[in-house]
Amino acid sequence: MLTLVGSDQPGIVAQITHVVYHQGWALGETSMLRLGGNFTIMMMVAGAESNEALEKVMQPVAYRLHLHLHIDEISGGLHQHALPNYQVRVMGSDRVGIVAQVTGILAEADFNILELTSDVAGSADEPVYIMTIQGHSVSELESIEKALSTLDDVDVSVKPIEILFG
Amino acid sequence: MAIREILKIPDERLKRVSEAVEVFDNTLRAFIDELEETRLASPGAIGIAAPQVGHFQRIIIVDVSNMRKPVENHGHMILVNPEITHWDGFELGREGCLSVPDYTGNVIRAEDIHLTAQDQWGETHEYEMTCFEARAIQHEVDHLDGITFLDRLVSRRTDLFQRKVYQKKSKKTEKIKSK
Ligand SMILES: [Zn+2]
């Protein structure tokens, strides 16, 4: 797993993937995100050579783009998608600790978070914090709802995710 | 009868627009049996469209009556020349496809639809459908027009959520006012 983090600028993805490709590494699943002027990309790459070799070819491009480079060996291959069965949406006035509280409760309910995004909407003097979590849990809907109902100053909804195959 | 092979992306034939059925004969009904057999052989498939097996006629089968969590449904439906005549509301949901192995994504669909379709004997029926069943129909009808859910994917960070928030928020403000 190749992870690069730093300030956003045009052409980052093209320059990184150019190096990956031309050095003979195969690119698998990737996830890129921009957040507040920052850039992060995680890429699954596969190749015949060692981690050190990969680091050596990636270091110059990372340096040039002022990105932090991080490489981890992973055992998994492609196509190991975990599918969420619940979506949790939390909304409330923006205050500290919402994320920690919600995710803490979910962890106790054996809820494995697969995707989490949060954003602030509303006006500047009345900001509203919105967090959307998709994840997997073997717990019943009611027990997850009950656990989250202890948070009384935010609006929480839990919805089962039924994936359509057709 | 036989199980047919399902076309998978990037097969260009999945982009072909299917033609209306005009003759309702035993050949049509024999094909529908094969289409159903193919659907049943695909675990978890709540629907299938004829072009997914390389047969370019406007025929779909949908059955959401056996969901883990029961949903509103019309049972098992064979829909020939289906036409959506009315759309209302929108809802985000996750979809996968027999023609797109090992991949799911979020798609916006109408929440409620009206549908006109013929059965395997040529008789016309009208349906009103909602939520999951309506989503299934829209997914399958798209196949008849050469469209897969990949053509309708939305970003995970969609502003759909934010639109809903504004509604909620105004309700909340009212609540506070009335206190
Ligand atoms: Zn499909």
Side-chain angles (χ1 to χ4, degrees):
Chain A
M1 180 73 70
L2 188 59
T3 308
L4 289 137
V5 184
S7 293
D8 192 26
Q9 55 176 296
I12 293 186
V13 180
Q15 293 186 54
I16 295 166
T17 52
H18 180 88
V19 174
V20 171
Y21 170 63
H22 282 280
Q23 298 291 335
W25 293 80
L27 195 53
E29 290 163 36
T30 62
S31 173
M32 184 210 111
L33 190 70
R34 291 177 59 255
L35 195 60
N38 292 282
F39 168 93
T40 166
I41 190 163
M42 292 169 76
M43 298 182 284
M44 286 167 68
V45 299
E49 291 186 70
S50 66
N51 271 6
E52 291 70 35
L54 179 62
E55 184 158 6
K56 214 169 141 198
V57 299
M58 292 312 297
Q59 205 50 261
V61 64
Y63 182 79
R64 198 166 67 238
L65 295 166
H66 308 289
L67 298 172
H68 295 286
L69 171 70
H70 188 81
I71 296 170
D72 289 296
E73 193 147 338
I74 50 170
S75 52
L78 297 174
H79 306 300
Q80 297 188 335
H81 302 147
L83 293 175
N85 63 345
Y86 287 113
Q87 172 164 295
V88 178
R89 191 166 312 150
V90 179
M91 285 177 288
S93 53
D94 198 9
R95 67 156 172 84
V96 291
I98 299 182
V99 182
Q101 285 177 354
V102 171
T103 55
I105 290 169
L106 290 176
E108 272 176 41
D110 289 322
F111 186 106
N112 183 22
I113 295 176
L114 298 169
E115 285 179 28
L116 183 154
T117 57
S118 67
D119 219 328
V120 180
S123 59
D125 40 318
E126 208 189 336
V128 181
Y129 186 81
I130 312 152
M131 174 164 63
T132 307
I133 295 171
Q134 296 203 336
H136 187 270
S137 175
V138 290
S139 306
E140 291 289 318
L141 175 67
E142 292 71 28
S143 67
I144 297 173
E145 276 177 336
K146 198 168 161 230
L148 288 167
S149 67
T150 52
L151 297 166
D152 49 14
D153 67 333
V154 288
D155 221 23
V156 182
S157 77
V158 186
K159 243 179 41 179
I161 297 177
E162 204 68 78
I163 302 175
L164 181 148
F165 283 98
Chain B
M1 284 207 297
I3 292 171
R4 310 270 293 227
E5 195 194 331
I6 292 175
L7 304 185
K8 310 249 162 72
I9 53 156
D11 196 311
E12 284 294 314
R13 286 173 291 173
L14 288 166
K15 294 186 177 156
R16 224 168 112 174
V17 177
S18 293
E19 315 230 325
V21 172
E22 277 160 15
V23 182
F24 292 81
D25 58 4
N26 286 339
T27 312
L28 171 73
R29 288 182 285 274
F31 167 72
I32 289 173
D33 286 345
E34 286 192 358
L35 187 63
E36 172 66 353
E37 207 184 343
T38 308
R39 180 183 76 87
L40 292 175
S42 318
I46 49 73
I48 193 166
Q52 287 181 284
V53 300
H55 184 104
F56 301 95
Q57 279 194 302
R58 303 188 78 83
I59 305 161
I60 64 175
I61 300 175
V62 167
D63 183 359
V64 297
S65 64
N66 284 310
M67 301 302 295
R68 196 166 39 93
K69 290 246 155 91
V71 295
E72 260 185 63
N73 71 84
H74 290 80
H76 184 273
M77 290 175 291
I78 292 166
L79 304 165
V80 181
N81 300 328
E83 204 148 328
I84 300 170
T85 55
H86 175 88
W87 292 260
D88 202 16
F90 56 91
E91 198 179 44
L92 191 73
R94 211 171 178 108
E95 299 183 16
C97 181
L98 303 176
S99 300
V100 186
D102 199 35
Y103 185 82
T104 66
N106 290 324
V107 182
I108 295 173
R109 301 282 189 190
E111 206 171 349
D112 301 296
I113 58 167
H114 293 183
L115 180 79
T116 307
Q118 287 164 282
D119 59 22
Q120 65 271 47
W121 308 98
E123 199 160 319
T124 302
H125 302 268
E126 284 184 32
Y127 304 85
E128 283 183 27
M129 296 175 182
T130 188
C131 299
F132 198 75
E133 190 175 48
R135 171 173 296 272
I137 296 286
Q138 292 169 78
H139 179 113
E140 302 308 339
V141 169
D142 266 357
H143 280 302
L144 303 180
D145 294 322
I147 295 167
T148 69
F149 79 99
L150 298 177
D151 299 314
R152 298 197 188 274
L153 283 181
V154 293
S155 152
R156 287 169 187 174
R157 294 173 73 84
T158 169
D159 71 342
L160 183 75
F161 297 142
Q162 304 197 1
R163 276 185 232 166
K164 288 207 166 167
V165 170
Y166 288 125
Q167 291 168 5
K168 264 260 161 77
K169 204 182 140 214
S170 56
K171 259 189 234 159
K172 243 192 178 164
T173 326
E174 278 165 26
K175 238 193 264 168
I176 294 165
K177 272 185 200 152
S178 63
K179 265 179 197 169

